[in-house]
Amino acid sequence: MRKIRWTLLVLLVAAIAVVVAGYRAAEKRNLLLAPAKPAPIPKDLHSIANNWSWSQSSKDHPVVEAHARDFRQIKDSSRFELGELEMKVFTKTGDTYDLVRSAKAEFDQVAEKLYSEGDVTITLGLPAASPPVPGKRYVEIRTSGLTYDNRSGASDTDRPVHFQFENGEGNSVGAVYDANKHYLWMKSQAEVIGAGPQAGMHIRAGELHYYEDEQKIDLRPWSKLERGGQGVEGGDSTVYLDKGDLKRVETRQGKGWDITPDRETRFSGNSLEVNFTAGQTVADAAGVGDAQIVSQTATGVVKMTGGRVDLNFTALPDANQSELTGALVRGHGRVESVPAASQERSQPETKILTAETIKVEMMPGGRELRRLETVTPGRLEFLPNQPGQWKRTLTAARLWTQYGPGNRPETLRAVGEVQLRSDPPASRKGARPGEPAPPRLTWSDGLEAFFNPQDGQMKELHQWSHFRYEEGPRHATANGARFDVPNDRTTLEGAARVWDETSLTTADLLILDEKQDRLHAEGNVTSTHLDKPATGQAPSDALFDSGKPMHATAQKFDSEQRNHVLHYRGSARLWQDGNSVQAQEIDLDREEKTLHARGGVSSVLLEQQPASEPGSSSGQAADAGKPAPSRLVTISSDSLLYTDDDHRAFYTGQVVLRRERMTIRAGELEAVLRPQGAAREKGESRLERALARSKVEIVETAAEKRAPRKAHAEQAEYTSGEEKVVLRGGVPTLEQPDHGFTRGAELTYYIDDDRLLVNGRPGARSQSRQKLKRN
């Protein structure tokens, strides 16, 4: 029994040993097969994990999806750290998302903010339903120290930022990007450099605000945009885009430029607006408020200013620039053209055009002016750049100027209330030292001027319709006028009329030659002249009274030395009251006081007979005290020379003198005239004495109860005061019908008297034959 128990005990122990051994073997095997025990969690962490994911969704699409290789949650905090983070931030529509990548980031679950101290890359606008488009250049932002706010969808950093765009790249210090609003703020030192279609475009600003949905960029507080030789800079600016391309730029206190190797154009204004073409070149620009454009080339400088200036450009083929084609200047518009000085030719005048509105057209290439036009009344000034140039000021309702190469004007046209003021240079001929010459003023309904294409100097000027002229004391009117500018010669056409304080001339055509100091008139010429004796000088009144106007007509007329020398041609006639001289040609020197007439000369002197005194036997009682009727003395000849100093008139060639009851014919005649005043006072003849020579013939008209007499001699002297005739030379003969004749060496007889004195000479006898009456 005892043996069995021991045997059972040994078996039990053996069984227990086997079980224990098996258990230990199994436990050892399990320990070998079981995974390694994880390391203890650091005391500052709550949990850690690998391949972490987190997302947030709205009703129909995801809002945020985040994936990280490493996840570490901070103990007793809502913050956790993420390594190798990729986060998708979806737009409100869910069709695109922005991808944020960071090697290390920290996320605050409660604040829903992600912060990355290291480098961060954000790619914007990736498609949600498909892979990214191969080759497409998406917007990419690279920076560090970035904070992402999941609630607002905004990313923020104060660190340097680099941007990559579809058509360029940029940099800034600090940036904010709002994924929900599609808004980007480049906080400072913003810079954008274009690529692709925007190649060459360079934008800089103090800060930049980009509104993707509005396709708008705000640049503050300063901005600068440039591409090639064109650019704009100023204060606050707004850039408008069209599908990412430049469309318009608006700038405050802006300045712009367009610079090429042979031209520099600069423009400015309180505000500037620049519009761009599809090819990203300038299409047009506008400056508002103190707007200004300055274009400079080798030929000169053109400056435009106004309340508003609009510029038009044309894009050049296969070029990233455009050229200026025209401008519209409004609001006190002003265009100034200053020609460049040249060694080959003198510098033309500076031209300044002002008007409320001015249209400007440029030559191909945009370097030089082609045409200027005022839409409103305008003013054009020509300012001298050389001592001999005139200063001219033109005003009119409308003005046009056409330009040729070198910014040199070709034609100028003005219409409506045209007025031109021309101030001569101090060096002008006839100008008195220290005394400025009077300006030349003209008025008309229209004007056209032509310029020399070689030097841009005005060569011809034409004014038409209701033309008026004024230069000091000289005035003129005509249907139209032409000015030969280099020769300072003016031609008045149609109903021309010129006058000053001493003269008046009218004709079909008048030419004022200032260089020659000459006035020329043609066609139906009439003139009136009034001599003004110098102070202390007695007036001259022998042939014509200097105190009265003298009138004239002719087919042609020339006046020289400011109306001191007068030439009349073609049926010329001068007269004053009843006194006149008529001939084919008459020359009158008012300074030397001479008159010379040629060809069919006829002069007339009006004589006033003495008045009948009361009680005189020669007058009727009813006519007592009344002036007697006038009588005429006429002298005709081939030529006449009159000198006022000695009151002598010399007639030559077929001379015929006619006065009351007497006619004298001779080859020549010298007449001495009394002053008109003396003749009027004494009732004497204007003809004081006349000496006739060469085949003299005198016919005395018969008075009442007296037979007419006829005299012949080589020389005859008539004295009007004594009514005496003295015959000399040849065979002096006096014939009296019904009484015979008398001959002698010298015969003296009296008009209306029977007295006859006969003087002989040695070796010659006087002869008298008398007819006897038969009973």
PDB file of all heavy atoms in Angstrom, residues 125-150:
ATOM      1  N   GLY A 125      -4.617  76.277 -55.482  1.00  0.00           N
ATOM      2  CA  GLY A 125      -5.500  76.012 -56.614  1.00  0.00           C
ATOM      3  C   GLY A 125      -5.341  74.662 -57.272  1.00  0.00           C
ATOM      4  O   GLY A 125      -5.622  74.519 -58.476  1.00  0.00           O
ATOM      5  N   LEU A 126      -4.947  73.626 -56.541  1.00  0.00           N
ATOM      6  CA  LEU A 126      -4.822  72.297 -57.127  1.00  0.00           C
ATOM      7  C   LEU A 126      -6.207  71.679 -57.311  1.00  0.00           C
ATOM      8  O   LEU A 126      -7.113  71.874 -56.480  1.00  0.00           O
ATOM      9  CB  LEU A 126      -3.968  71.404 -56.230  1.00  0.00           C
ATOM     10  CG  LEU A 126      -2.489  71.826 -56.096  1.00  0.00           C
ATOM     11  CD1 LEU A 126      -1.813  71.009 -55.009  1.00  0.00           C
ATOM     12  CD2 LEU A 126      -1.781  71.675 -57.424  1.00  0.00           C
ATOM     13  N   PRO A 127      -6.419  70.900 -58.373  1.00  0.00           N
ATOM     14  CA  PRO A 127      -7.741  70.287 -58.595  1.00  0.00           C
ATOM     15  C   PRO A 127      -8.016  69.207 -57.564  1.00  0.00           C
ATOM     16  O   PRO A 127      -7.143  68.393 -57.230  1.00  0.00           O
ATOM     17  CB  PRO A 127      -7.634  69.749 -60.015  1.00  0.00           C
ATOM     18  CG  PRO A 127      -6.175  69.552 -60.251  1.00  0.00           C
ATOM     19  CD  PRO A 127      -5.476  70.605 -59.471  1.00  0.00           C
ATOM     20  N   ALA A 128      -9.256  69.147 -57.076  1.00  0.00           N
ATOM     21  CA  ALA A 128      -9.619  68.172 -56.041  1.00  0.00           C
ATOM     22  C   ALA A 128     -10.001  66.837 -56.637  1.00  0.00           C
ATOM     23  O   ALA A 128      -9.802  65.789 -56.024  1.00  0.00           O
ATOM     24  CB  ALA A 128     -10.768  68.716 -55.201  1.00  0.00           C
ATOM     25  N   ALA A 129     -10.542  66.818 -57.840  1.00  0.00           N
ATOM     26  CA  ALA A 129     -11.076  65.585 -58.411  1.00  0.00           C
ATOM     27  C   ALA A 129     -10.117  64.897 -59.355  1.00  0.00           C
ATOM     28  O   ALA A 129     -10.436  63.830 -59.885  1.00  0.00           O
ATOM     29  CB  ALA A 129     -12.385  65.887 -59.144  1.00  0.00           C
ATOM     30  N   SER A 130      -8.956  65.480 -59.614  1.00  0.00           N
ATOM     31  CA  SER A 130      -8.020  64.888 -60.568  1.00  0.00           C
ATOM     32  C   SER A 130      -6.606  65.276 -60.199  1.00  0.00           C
ATOM     33  O   SER A 130      -6.401  66.211 -59.414  1.00  0.00           O
ATOM     34  CB  SER A 130      -8.341  65.363 -61.983  1.00  0.00           C
ATOM     35  OG  SER A 130      -8.201  66.772 -62.082  1.00  0.00           O
ATOM     36  N   PRO A 131      -5.620  64.612 -60.765  1.00  0.00           N
ATOM     37  CA  PRO A 131      -4.234  64.973 -60.490  1.00  0.00           C
ATOM     38  C   PRO A 131      -3.923  66.364 -61.052  1.00  0.00           C
ATOM     39  O   PRO A 131      -4.621  66.859 -61.945  1.00  0.00           O
ATOM     40  CB  PRO A 131      -3.427  63.878 -61.216  1.00  0.00           C
ATOM     41  CG  PRO A 131      -4.388  62.774 -61.450  1.00  0.00           C
ATOM     42  CD  PRO A 131      -5.736  63.402 -61.607  1.00  0.00           C
ATOM     43  N   PRO A 132      -2.881  67.000 -60.561  1.00  0.00           N
ATOM     44  CA  PRO A 132      -2.475  68.297 -61.104  1.00  0.00           C
ATOM     45  C   PRO A 132      -2.193  68.206 -62.603  1.00  0.00           C
ATOM     46  O   PRO A 132      -1.715  67.173 -63.101  1.00  0.00           O
ATOM     47  CB  PRO A 132      -1.208  68.638 -60.320  1.00  0.00           C
ATOM     48  CG  PRO A 132      -1.344  67.877 -59.041  1.00  0.00           C
ATOM     49  CD  PRO A 132      -2.048  66.602 -59.404  1.00  0.00           C
ATOM     50  N   VAL A 133      -2.508  69.293 -63.324  1.00  0.00           N
ATOM     51  CA  VAL A 133      -2.303  69.315 -64.771  1.00  0.00           C
ATOM     52  C   VAL A 133      -0.807  69.289 -65.056  1.00  0.00           C
ATOM     53  O   VAL A 133      -0.056  70.124 -64.540  1.00  0.00           O
ATOM     54  CB  VAL A 133      -2.944  70.570 -65.386  1.00  0.00           C
ATOM     55  CG1 VAL A 133      -2.684  70.616 -66.882  1.00  0.00           C
ATOM     56  CG2 VAL A 133      -4.435  70.600 -65.086  1.00  0.00           C
ATOM     57  N   PRO A 134      -0.358  68.328 -65.868  1.00  0.00           N
ATOM     58  CA  PRO A 134       1.084  68.241 -66.148  1.00  0.00           C
ATOM     59  C   PRO A 134       1.584  69.528 -66.832  1.00  0.00           C
ATOM     60  O   PRO A 134       0.953  70.033 -67.772  1.00  0.00           O
ATOM     61  CB  PRO A 134       1.197  67.031 -67.082  1.00  0.00           C
ATOM     62  CG  PRO A 134      -0.039  66.238 -66.821  1.00  0.00           C
ATOM     63  CD  PRO A 134      -1.107  67.226 -66.490  1.00  0.00           C
ATOM     64  N   GLY A 135       2.717  70.044 -66.398  1.00  0.00           N
ATOM     65  CA  GLY A 135       3.331  71.218 -67.015  1.00  0.00           C
ATOM     66  C   GLY A 135       2.746  72.538 -66.593  1.00  0.00           C
ATOM     67  O   GLY A 135       3.304  73.593 -66.937  1.00  0.00           O
ATOM     68  N   LYS A 136       1.621  72.506 -65.868  1.00  0.00           N
ATOM     69  CA  LYS A 136       1.023  73.777 -65.455  1.00  0.00           C
ATOM     70  C   LYS A 136       1.797  74.352 -64.279  1.00  0.00           C
ATOM     71  O   LYS A 136       2.171  73.637 -63.361  1.00  0.00           O
ATOM     72  CB  LYS A 136      -0.436  73.597 -65.076  1.00  0.00           C
ATOM     73  CG  LYS A 136      -1.104  74.908 -64.675  1.00  0.00           C
ATOM     74  CD  LYS A 136      -2.580  74.751 -64.382  1.00  0.00           C
ATOM     75  CE  LYS A 136      -3.209  76.069 -63.995  1.00  0.00           C
ATOM     76  NZ  LYS A 136      -4.651  75.955 -63.712  1.00  0.00           N
ATOM     77  N   ARG A 137       1.978  75.685 -64.354  1.00  0.00           N
ATOM     78  CA  ARG A 137       2.741  76.377 -63.309  1.00  0.00           C
ATOM     79  C   ARG A 137       1.746  76.933 -62.289  1.00  0.00           C
ATOM     80  O   ARG A 137       1.161  77.989 -62.453  1.00  0.00           O
ATOM     81  CB  ARG A 137       3.556  77.503 -63.949  1.00  0.00           C
ATOM     82  CG  ARG A 137       4.518  78.217 -63.016  1.00  0.00           C
ATOM     83  CD  ARG A 137       5.228  79.314 -63.808  1.00  0.00           C
ATOM     84  NE  ARG A 137       6.007  80.183 -62.976  1.00  0.00           N
ATOM     85  CZ  ARG A 137       7.330  80.123 -62.834  1.00  0.00           C
ATOM     86  NH1 ARG A 137       8.010  79.189 -63.478  1.00  0.00           N
ATOM     87  NH2 ARG A 137       7.973  80.992 -62.064  1.00  0.00           N
ATOM     88  N   TYR A 138       1.546  76.174 -61.161  1.00  0.00           N
ATOM     89  CA  TYR A 138       0.612  76.602 -60.125  1.00  0.00           C
ATOM     90  C   TYR A 138       1.290  77.631 -59.210  1.00  0.00           C
ATOM     91  O   TYR A 138       2.518  77.681 -59.120  1.00  0.00           O
ATOM     92  CB  TYR A 138       0.146  75.403 -59.296  1.00  0.00           C
ATOM     93  CG  TYR A 138      -0.772  74.468 -60.056  1.00  0.00           C
ATOM     94  CD1 TYR A 138      -0.261  73.353 -60.729  1.00  0.00           C
ATOM     95  CD2 TYR A 138      -2.143  74.690 -60.089  1.00  0.00           C
ATOM     96  CE1 TYR A 138      -1.089  72.489 -61.423  1.00  0.00           C
ATOM     97  CE2 TYR A 138      -2.983  73.833 -60.784  1.00  0.00           C
ATOM     98  CZ  TYR A 138      -2.448  72.734 -61.448  1.00  0.00           C
ATOM     99  OH  TYR A 138      -3.285  71.884 -62.147  1.00  0.00           O
ATOM    100  N   VAL A 139       0.437  78.415 -58.551  1.00  0.00           N
ATOM    101  CA  VAL A 139       0.958  79.392 -57.601  1.00  0.00           C
ATOM    102  C   VAL A 139       1.551  78.654 -56.398  1.00  0.00           C
ATOM    103  O   VAL A 139       0.895  77.798 -55.802  1.00  0.00           O
ATOM    104  CB  VAL A 139      -0.142  80.361 -57.143  1.00  0.00           C
ATOM    105  CG1 VAL A 139       0.412  81.350 -56.112  1.00  0.00           C
ATOM    106  CG2 VAL A 139      -0.726  81.112 -58.333  1.00  0.00           C
ATOM    107  N   GLU A 140       2.769  79.040 -56.066  1.00  0.00           N
ATOM    108  CA  GLU A 140       3.456  78.364 -54.969  1.00  0.00           C
ATOM    109  C   GLU A 140       4.093  79.412 -54.066  1.00  0.00           C
ATOM    110  O   GLU A 140       4.693  80.373 -54.537  1.00  0.00           O
ATOM    111  CB  GLU A 140       4.532  77.426 -55.529  1.00  0.00           C
ATOM    112  CG  GLU A 140       5.218  76.582 -54.470  1.00  0.00           C
ATOM    113  CD  GLU A 140       6.212  75.608 -55.082  1.00  0.00           C
ATOM    114  OE1 GLU A 140       5.785  74.531 -55.528  1.00  0.00           O
ATOM    115  OE2 GLU A 140       7.405  75.960 -55.132  1.00  0.00           O
ATOM    116  N   ILE A 141       3.949  79.187 -52.741  1.00  0.00           N
ATOM    117  CA  ILE A 141       4.494  80.103 -51.744  1.00  0.00           C
ATOM    118  C   ILE A 141       5.470  79.331 -50.872  1.00  0.00           C
ATOM    119  O   ILE A 141       5.127  78.281 -50.324  1.00  0.00           O
ATOM    120  CB  ILE A 141       3.379  80.704 -50.871  1.00  0.00           C
ATOM    121  CG1 ILE A 141       2.325  81.406 -51.744  1.00  0.00           C
ATOM    122  CG2 ILE A 141       3.954  81.682 -49.852  1.00  0.00           C
ATOM    123  CD1 ILE A 141       1.097  81.840 -50.984  1.00  0.00           C
ATOM    124  N   ARG A 142       6.686  79.883 -50.737  1.00  0.00           N
ATOM    125  CA  ARG A 142       7.693  79.251 -49.880  1.00  0.00           C
ATOM    126  C   ARG A 142       8.135  80.260 -48.824  1.00  0.00           C
ATOM    127  O   ARG A 142       8.514  81.388 -49.156  1.00  0.00           O
ATOM    128  CB  ARG A 142       8.892  78.781 -50.704  1.00  0.00           C
ATOM    129  CG  ARG A 142       8.560  77.696 -51.709  1.00  0.00           C
ATOM    130  CD  ARG A 142       9.826  77.054 -52.243  1.00  0.00           C
ATOM    131  NE  ARG A 142      10.663  78.002 -52.961  1.00  0.00           N
ATOM    132  CZ  ARG A 142      10.541  78.270 -54.262  1.00  0.00           C
ATOM    133  NH1 ARG A 142       9.578  77.678 -54.974  1.00  0.00           N
ATOM    134  NH2 ARG A 142      11.355  79.128 -54.838  1.00  0.00           N
ATOM    135  N   THR A 143       8.093  79.814 -47.564  1.00  0.00           N
ATOM    136  CA  THR A 143       8.453  80.709 -46.472  1.00  0.00           C
ATOM    137  C   THR A 143       8.784  79.884 -45.240  1.00  0.00           C
ATOM    138  O   THR A 143       8.923  78.644 -45.313  1.00  0.00           O
ATOM    139  CB  THR A 143       7.295  81.702 -46.193  1.00  0.00           C
ATOM    140  OG1 THR A 143       7.729  82.646 -45.212  1.00  0.00           O
ATOM    141  CG2 THR A 143       6.060  80.992 -45.687  1.00  0.00           C
ATOM    142  N   SER A 144       8.824  80.523 -44.081  1.00  0.00           N
ATOM    143  CA  SER A 144       9.027  79.851 -42.795  1.00  0.00           C
ATOM    144  C   SER A 144       8.331  80.685 -41.736  1.00  0.00           C
ATOM    145  O   SER A 144       7.886  81.800 -41.998  1.00  0.00           O
ATOM    146  CB  SER A 144      10.524  79.708 -42.482  1.00  0.00           C
ATOM    147  OG  SER A 144      11.126  80.982 -42.356  1.00  0.00           O
ATOM    148  N   GLY A 145       8.241  80.112 -40.486  1.00  0.00           N
ATOM    149  CA  GLY A 145       7.563  80.838 -39.420  1.00  0.00           C
ATOM    150  C   GLY A 145       6.117  81.124 -39.769  1.00  0.00           C
ATOM    151  O   GLY A 145       5.590  82.192 -39.455  1.00  0.00           O
ATOM    152  N   LEU A 146       5.457  80.125 -40.379  1.00  0.00           N
ATOM    153  CA  LEU A 146       4.098  80.325 -40.894  1.00  0.00           C
ATOM    154  C   LEU A 146       3.067  79.853 -39.874  1.00  0.00           C
ATOM    155  O   LEU A 146       3.213  78.803 -39.255  1.00  0.00           O
ATOM    156  CB  LEU A 146       3.925  79.542 -42.196  1.00  0.00           C
ATOM    157  CG  LEU A 146       2.545  79.599 -42.835  1.00  0.00           C
ATOM    158  CD1 LEU A 146       2.281  80.970 -43.417  1.00  0.00           C
ATOM    159  CD2 LEU A 146       2.409  78.525 -43.918  1.00  0.00           C
ATOM    160  N   THR A 147       1.992  80.647 -39.728  1.00  0.00           N
ATOM    161  CA  THR A 147       0.841  80.267 -38.911  1.00  0.00           C
ATOM    162  C   THR A 147      -0.365  80.117 -39.812  1.00  0.00           C
ATOM    163  O   THR A 147      -0.682  81.031 -40.592  1.00  0.00           O
ATOM    164  CB  THR A 147       0.550  81.322 -37.845  1.00  0.00           C
ATOM    165  OG1 THR A 147       1.679  81.426 -36.964  1.00  0.00           O
ATOM    166  CG2 THR A 147      -0.679  80.946 -37.035  1.00  0.00           C
ATOM    167  N   TYR A 148      -1.039  78.931 -39.692  1.00  0.00           N
ATOM    168  CA  TYR A 148      -2.252  78.687 -40.467  1.00  0.00           C
ATOM    169  C   TYR A 148      -3.439  78.616 -39.515  1.00  0.00           C
ATOM    170  O   TYR A 148      -3.421  77.862 -38.544  1.00  0.00           O
ATOM    171  CB  TYR A 148      -2.155  77.403 -41.269  1.00  0.00           C
ATOM    172  CG  TYR A 148      -3.486  76.975 -41.860  1.00  0.00           C
ATOM    173  CD1 TYR A 148      -4.046  77.669 -42.922  1.00  0.00           C
ATOM    174  CD2 TYR A 148      -4.183  75.892 -41.325  1.00  0.00           C
ATOM    175  CE1 TYR A 148      -5.272  77.293 -43.448  1.00  0.00           C
ATOM    176  CE2 TYR A 148      -5.407  75.513 -41.844  1.00  0.00           C
ATOM    177  CZ  TYR A 148      -5.964  76.221 -42.904  1.00  0.00           C
ATOM    178  OH  TYR A 148      -7.180  75.852 -43.418  1.00  0.00           O
ATOM    179  N   ASP A 149      -4.471  79.423 -39.771  1.00  0.00           N
ATOM    180  CA  ASP A 149      -5.691  79.457 -38.961  1.00  0.00           C
ATOM    181  C   ASP A 149      -6.770  78.696 -39.712  1.00  0.00           C
ATOM    182  O   ASP A 149      -7.266  79.158 -40.749  1.00  0.00           O
ATOM    183  CB  ASP A 149      -6.118  80.893 -38.725  1.00  0.00           C
ATOM    184  CG  ASP A 149      -7.252  81.011 -37.704  1.00  0.00           C
ATOM    185  OD1 ASP A 149      -8.027  80.038 -37.582  1.00  0.00           O
ATOM    186  OD2 ASP A 149      -7.361  82.076 -37.063  1.00  0.00           O
ATOM    187  N   ASN A 150      -7.127  77.497 -39.180  1.00  0.00           N
ATOM    188  CA  ASN A 150      -8.106  76.660 -39.877  1.00  0.00           C
ATOM    189  C   ASN A 150      -9.494  77.300 -39.905  1.00  0.00           C
ATOM    190  O   ASN A 150     -10.268  77.084 -40.826  1.00  0.00           O
ATOM    191  CB  ASN A 150      -8.164  75.281 -39.215  1.00  0.00           C
ATOM    192  CG  ASN A 150      -9.100  74.352 -39.959  1.00  0.00           C
ATOM    193  OD1 ASN A 150      -8.917  74.104 -41.151  1.00  0.00           O
ATOM    194  ND2 ASN A 150     -10.103  73.825 -39.257  1.00  0.00           N
TER     195      ASN A 150
END
